[in-house]
Amino acid sequence: MNTYRIQMNCGQIAYLCDFFSQYEDEQIQTVLLSANRVQAVFEAKTPLDIEEAVKHLKQVFQLSKFGPGLYFTIKNM
């Protein structure tokens, strides 16, 4: 199992924090470490490599209720 720190940026960061603060599916588990007005840092535990993990998180949020309407970025720290 790999552990990564992943940075997420969004003008409405509360939506990302709410969604990913304790997110878990069959491929990844995330925990919120810190957040400010436009940026949040999460710890992600996953068997995926970092590029696949970031891609998976982007896809998951894009399919969420708020994902299609928000501009956001997700990247490895």
Side-chain angles (χ1 to χ4, degrees), residues 20-33:
F20 285 118
S21 65
Q22 295 292 320
Y23 180 79
E24 184 174 355
D25 65 24
E26 62 280 345
Q27 294 188 22
I28 200 162
Q29 177 182 15
T30 61
V31 176
L32 178 64
L33 298 178

PDB file of all heavy atoms in Angstrom, residues 20-33:
ATOM      1  N   PHE A  20     -13.834  14.577   0.128  1.00  0.00           N
ATOM      2  CA  PHE A  20     -12.668  13.716   0.295  1.00  0.00           C
ATOM      3  C   PHE A  20     -12.159  13.586   1.728  1.00  0.00           C
ATOM      4  O   PHE A  20     -11.199  12.865   1.964  1.00  0.00           O
ATOM      5  CB  PHE A  20     -11.512  14.210  -0.586  1.00  0.00           C
ATOM      6  CG  PHE A  20     -11.691  13.909  -2.037  1.00  0.00           C
ATOM      7  CD1 PHE A  20     -11.780  14.937  -2.965  1.00  0.00           C
ATOM      8  CD2 PHE A  20     -11.759  12.609  -2.500  1.00  0.00           C
ATOM      9  CE1 PHE A  20     -11.928  14.670  -4.320  1.00  0.00           C
ATOM     10  CE2 PHE A  20     -11.914  12.322  -3.846  1.00  0.00           C
ATOM     11  CZ  PHE A  20     -11.997  13.353  -4.756  1.00  0.00           C
ATOM     12  N   SER A  21     -12.774  14.264   2.709  1.00  0.00           N
ATOM     13  CA  SER A  21     -12.220  14.244   4.067  1.00  0.00           C
ATOM     14  C   SER A  21     -12.095  12.833   4.637  1.00  0.00           C
ATOM     15  O   SER A  21     -11.132  12.531   5.335  1.00  0.00           O
ATOM     16  CB  SER A  21     -13.028  15.136   4.999  1.00  0.00           C
ATOM     17  OG  SER A  21     -14.323  14.621   5.153  1.00  0.00           O
ATOM     18  N   GLN A  22     -13.004  11.965   4.357  1.00  0.00           N
ATOM     19  CA  GLN A  22     -12.951  10.560   4.803  1.00  0.00           C
ATOM     20  C   GLN A  22     -13.387   9.653   3.663  1.00  0.00           C
ATOM     21  O   GLN A  22     -14.115   8.684   3.860  1.00  0.00           O
ATOM     22  CB  GLN A  22     -13.850  10.346   6.023  1.00  0.00           C
ATOM     23  CG  GLN A  22     -13.418  11.084   7.258  1.00  0.00           C
ATOM     24  CD  GLN A  22     -12.122  10.543   7.832  1.00  0.00           C
ATOM     25  OE1 GLN A  22     -11.881   9.342   7.870  1.00  0.00           O
ATOM     26  NE2 GLN A  22     -11.263  11.441   8.286  1.00  0.00           N
ATOM     27  N   TYR A  23     -12.947   9.958   2.451  1.00  0.00           N
ATOM     28  CA  TYR A  23     -13.375   9.203   1.279  1.00  0.00           C
ATOM     29  C   TYR A  23     -12.687   7.842   1.223  1.00  0.00           C
ATOM     30  O   TYR A  23     -11.512   7.704   1.540  1.00  0.00           O
ATOM     31  CB  TYR A  23     -13.049   9.987  -0.004  1.00  0.00           C
ATOM     32  CG  TYR A  23     -13.473   9.253  -1.246  1.00  0.00           C
ATOM     33  CD1 TYR A  23     -14.794   9.256  -1.650  1.00  0.00           C
ATOM     34  CD2 TYR A  23     -12.560   8.517  -1.991  1.00  0.00           C
ATOM     35  CE1 TYR A  23     -15.196   8.565  -2.774  1.00  0.00           C
ATOM     36  CE2 TYR A  23     -12.943   7.822  -3.116  1.00  0.00           C
ATOM     37  CZ  TYR A  23     -14.276   7.845  -3.501  1.00  0.00           C
ATOM     38  OH  TYR A  23     -14.660   7.142  -4.608  1.00  0.00           O
ATOM     39  N   GLU A  24     -13.440   6.835   0.793  1.00  0.00           N
ATOM     40  CA  GLU A  24     -12.866   5.505   0.612  1.00  0.00           C
ATOM     41  C   GLU A  24     -13.654   4.746  -0.440  1.00  0.00           C
ATOM     42  O   GLU A  24     -14.878   4.769  -0.450  1.00  0.00           O
ATOM     43  CB  GLU A  24     -12.904   4.740   1.934  1.00  0.00           C
ATOM     44  CG  GLU A  24     -12.236   3.395   1.868  1.00  0.00           C
ATOM     45  CD  GLU A  24     -12.152   2.702   3.220  1.00  0.00           C
ATOM     46  OE1 GLU A  24     -12.532   3.299   4.236  1.00  0.00           O
ATOM     47  OE2 GLU A  24     -11.707   1.543   3.236  1.00  0.00           O
ATOM     48  N   ASP A  25     -12.927   4.118  -1.352  1.00  0.00           N
ATOM     49  CA  ASP A  25     -13.534   3.181  -2.292  1.00  0.00           C
ATOM     50  C   ASP A  25     -12.588   1.992  -2.421  1.00  0.00           C
ATOM     51  O   ASP A  25     -11.653   1.865  -1.627  1.00  0.00           O
ATOM     52  CB  ASP A  25     -13.855   3.848  -3.646  1.00  0.00           C
ATOM     53  CG  ASP A  25     -12.641   4.328  -4.427  1.00  0.00           C
ATOM     54  OD1 ASP A  25     -11.522   3.807  -4.219  1.00  0.00           O
ATOM     55  OD2 ASP A  25     -12.799   5.226  -5.262  1.00  0.00           O
ATOM     56  N   GLU A  26     -12.825   1.128  -3.383  1.00  0.00           N
ATOM     57  CA  GLU A  26     -12.019  -0.092  -3.503  1.00  0.00           C
ATOM     58  C   GLU A  26     -10.571   0.184  -3.926  1.00  0.00           C
ATOM     59  O   GLU A  26      -9.710  -0.682  -3.780  1.00  0.00           O
ATOM     60  CB  GLU A  26     -12.667  -1.085  -4.467  1.00  0.00           C
ATOM     61  CG  GLU A  26     -12.822  -0.595  -5.888  1.00  0.00           C
ATOM     62  CD  GLU A  26     -14.014   0.323  -6.108  1.00  0.00           C
ATOM     63  OE1 GLU A  26     -14.921   0.396  -5.255  1.00  0.00           O
ATOM     64  OE2 GLU A  26     -14.035   1.002  -7.145  1.00  0.00           O
ATOM     65  N   GLN A  27     -10.266   1.395  -4.411  1.00  0.00           N
ATOM     66  CA  GLN A  27      -8.922   1.689  -4.891  1.00  0.00           C
ATOM     67  C   GLN A  27      -8.138   2.702  -4.056  1.00  0.00           C
ATOM     68  O   GLN A  27      -6.922   2.766  -4.158  1.00  0.00           O
ATOM     69  CB  GLN A  27      -8.982   2.198  -6.333  1.00  0.00           C
ATOM     70  CG  GLN A  27      -9.460   1.154  -7.293  1.00  0.00           C
ATOM     71  CD  GLN A  27      -9.331   1.619  -8.723  1.00  0.00           C
ATOM     72  OE1 GLN A  27      -8.553   2.500  -9.041  1.00  0.00           O
ATOM     73  NE2 GLN A  27     -10.101   0.993  -9.596  1.00  0.00           N
ATOM     74  N   ILE A  28      -8.832   3.505  -3.255  1.00  0.00           N
ATOM     75  CA  ILE A  28      -8.136   4.594  -2.551  1.00  0.00           C
ATOM     76  C   ILE A  28      -8.878   4.989  -1.282  1.00  0.00           C
ATOM     77  O   ILE A  28     -10.099   4.824  -1.193  1.00  0.00           O
ATOM     78  CB  ILE A  28      -7.959   5.811  -3.496  1.00  0.00           C
ATOM     79  CG1 ILE A  28      -6.861   6.730  -3.017  1.00  0.00           C
ATOM     80  CG2 ILE A  28      -9.267   6.544  -3.714  1.00  0.00           C
ATOM     81  CD1 ILE A  28      -6.352   7.684  -4.077  1.00  0.00           C
ATOM     82  N   GLN A  29      -8.114   5.496  -0.341  1.00  0.00           N
ATOM     83  CA  GLN A  29      -8.674   6.008   0.910  1.00  0.00           C
ATOM     84  C   GLN A  29      -8.004   7.349   1.179  1.00  0.00           C
ATOM     85  O   GLN A  29      -6.774   7.458   1.108  1.00  0.00           O
ATOM     86  CB  GLN A  29      -8.362   5.027   2.040  1.00  0.00           C
ATOM     87  CG  GLN A  29      -8.823   5.458   3.388  1.00  0.00           C
ATOM     88  CD  GLN A  29      -8.417   4.439   4.456  1.00  0.00           C
ATOM     89  OE1 GLN A  29      -7.574   3.575   4.225  1.00  0.00           O
ATOM     90  NE2 GLN A  29      -9.006   4.550   5.612  1.00  0.00           N
ATOM     91  N   THR A  30      -8.785   8.392   1.467  1.00  0.00           N
ATOM     92  CA  THR A  30      -8.209   9.721   1.707  1.00  0.00           C
ATOM     93  C   THR A  30      -8.612  10.255   3.069  1.00  0.00           C
ATOM     94  O   THR A  30      -9.692   9.954   3.580  1.00  0.00           O
ATOM     95  CB  THR A  30      -8.653  10.740   0.632  1.00  0.00           C
ATOM     96  OG1 THR A  30     -10.071  10.878   0.674  1.00  0.00           O
ATOM     97  CG2 THR A  30      -8.204  10.332  -0.745  1.00  0.00           C
ATOM     98  N   VAL A  31      -7.709  11.061   3.632  1.00  0.00           N
ATOM     99  CA  VAL A  31      -7.937  11.734   4.908  1.00  0.00           C
ATOM    100  C   VAL A  31      -7.450  13.167   4.758  1.00  0.00           C
ATOM    101  O   VAL A  31      -6.347  13.402   4.263  1.00  0.00           O
ATOM    102  CB  VAL A  31      -7.162  11.036   6.053  1.00  0.00           C
ATOM    103  CG1 VAL A  31      -7.312  11.799   7.356  1.00  0.00           C
ATOM    104  CG2 VAL A  31      -7.620   9.607   6.215  1.00  0.00           C
ATOM    105  N   LEU A  32      -8.251  14.120   5.189  1.00  0.00           N
ATOM    106  CA  LEU A  32      -7.883  15.543   5.131  1.00  0.00           C
ATOM    107  C   LEU A  32      -6.813  15.836   6.174  1.00  0.00           C
ATOM    108  O   LEU A  32      -6.980  15.517   7.347  1.00  0.00           O
ATOM    109  CB  LEU A  32      -9.117  16.408   5.386  1.00  0.00           C
ATOM    110  CG  LEU A  32      -8.912  17.917   5.413  1.00  0.00           C
ATOM    111  CD1 LEU A  32      -8.452  18.426   4.059  1.00  0.00           C
ATOM    112  CD2 LEU A  32     -10.182  18.616   5.852  1.00  0.00           C
ATOM    113  N   LEU A  33      -5.704  16.436   5.738  1.00  0.00           N
ATOM    114  CA  LEU A  33      -4.627  16.826   6.653  1.00  0.00           C
ATOM    115  C   LEU A  33      -4.685  18.306   7.001  1.00  0.00           C
ATOM    116  O   LEU A  33      -4.493  18.689   8.149  1.00  0.00           O
ATOM    117  CB  LEU A  33      -3.256  16.504   6.043  1.00  0.00           C
ATOM    118  CG  LEU A  33      -2.965  15.034   5.760  1.00  0.00           C
ATOM    119  CD1 LEU A  33      -1.596  14.882   5.102  1.00  0.00           C
ATOM    120  CD2 LEU A  33      -3.058  14.208   7.022  1.00  0.00           C
TER     121      LEU A  33
END
